[in-house]
Amino acid sequence: MGAIRAGLRLIALAALLLTLLPVHGVWRLARRPSSWPRRFLATCARIVGARPVTMGTPLPRDVVILANHLSWIDILLLAGFANAVFVAKGELRAVPLVGWLAALNDTIFVARSERMAVGAQVDAVRAALGPRPVAIFPEGTTGAGVTLLPFKSALLAALDPAPPGVRVQPVAIDYGAATRELAWTGGETGVAHALRVLRRRGGFTAHLRFLPPIAPAGRKAIAADARRQIEASWAPTVG
């Protein structure tokens, strides 16, 4: 039955893409802002079983979202329900289909291993700030859903100093009782994890807690404050 569920979900995802992609193309040809990538990703989250529940007040623009990272499902949720674009490692761009879909959502690809490109990366992130929230996963990888990993302040270089008017909003993500089951941990390939999620029976509640915004005051202070807020909100649910 797991294989059948995965197959049906993949068919639904493919049908959704084939339906919405031409509509998105028409919007772009007309030079109009397209909300279709956001709608596509929000619907994808529901197809894989997520029942999103949002709490708090998300800032709509001029904001950097700092969220804990459990799975690729986080990306569907933040893009679909917070209209976020993402800062992602440059290698993702070359991944078939995934890289193309990420580009459709205006993902900011950065080459984290190239120290000489740091200035260009900071400029790219700053240029994206404004119309849409920019999301960063400061843990730098996915966690097991039990404790938070350290937040890497180096990923926040674009906020040191921050452009005028930009704020930081921590977001705590969990999947309720299914958090540990759905978290993507080491020792499992991306394909294996995706198939495990697609085979899973039933749905799960996905909480997005939009916490009080932080006025940027140095990247180390931002990382520490965001982690403290997320841990305080997150631990009682998944601990």
Side-chain angles (χ1 to χ4, degrees):
M1 288 301 295
I4 293 174
R5 277 193 293 272
L8 291 174
R9 282 172 170 160
L10 285 171
I11 291 170
L13 291 169
L16 178 67
L17 177 62
L18 293 174
T19 300
L20 295 187
L21 189 59
V23 183
H24 170 68
V26 170
W27 251 247
R28 295 301 292 267
L29 286 172
R31 299 185 182 276
R32 294 178 58 187
S34 174
S35 64
W36 294 105
R38 175 184 182 180
R39 296 182 187 188
F40 169 73
L41 294 168
T43 307
C44 286
R46 291 191 171 99
I47 289 173
V48 302
R51 297 188 297 268
V53 175
T54 60
M55 290 155 280
T57 304
L59 298 179
R61 58 171 295 140
D62 299 311
V63 59
V64 173
I65 288 174
L66 299 185
N68 62 290
H69 198 15
L70 300 171
S71 164
W72 51 268
I73 304 168
D74 306 341
I75 297 171
L76 304 180
L77 294 167
L78 286 174
F81 298 95
N83 196 28
V85 300
F86 294 87
V87 178
K89 57 186 180 180
E91 304 92 280
L92 182 66
R93 193 167 204 163
V95 177
L97 186 60
V98 174
W100 176 66
L101 289 172
L104 284 181
N105 193 52
D106 300 323
T107 296
I108 306 159
F109 297 102
V110 298
R112 293 177 182 170
S113 61
E114 298 178 15
R115 294 186 179 182
M116 297 298 291
V118 170
Q121 295 168 18
V122 170
D123 290 343
V125 174
R126 285 183 174 169
L129 292 170
R132 296 176 63 185
V134 173
I136 297 175
F137 296 116
E139 292 170 291
T141 186
T142 51
V146 180
T147 58
L148 288 176
L149 300 174
F151 280 17
K152 299 178 180 179
S153 63
L155 298 176
L156 310 181
L159 297 174
D160 199 3
V166 169
R167 288 182 289 174
V168 175
Q169 185 164 38
V171 177
I173 302 174
D174 73 75
Y175 305 143
T179 295
R180 299 189 191 202
E181 179 186 356
L182 291 172
W184 180 8
T185 58
E188 184 180 36
T189 67
V191 172
H193 179 259
L195 289 175
R196 179 161 62 84
V197 172
L198 291 170
R199 291 188 186 112
R200 185 179 182 276
R201 181 179 179 180
F204 57 93
T205 301
H207 299 101
L208 293 175
R209 292 178 175 82
F210 292 87
L211 303 171
I214 300 167
R219 62 188 183 184
K220 289 186 178 180
I222 293 169
D225 196 356
R227 189 181 189 280
R228 184 165 50 248
Q229 284 200 48
I230 291 172
E231 189 169 39
S233 172
W234 184 65
T237 303
V238 299

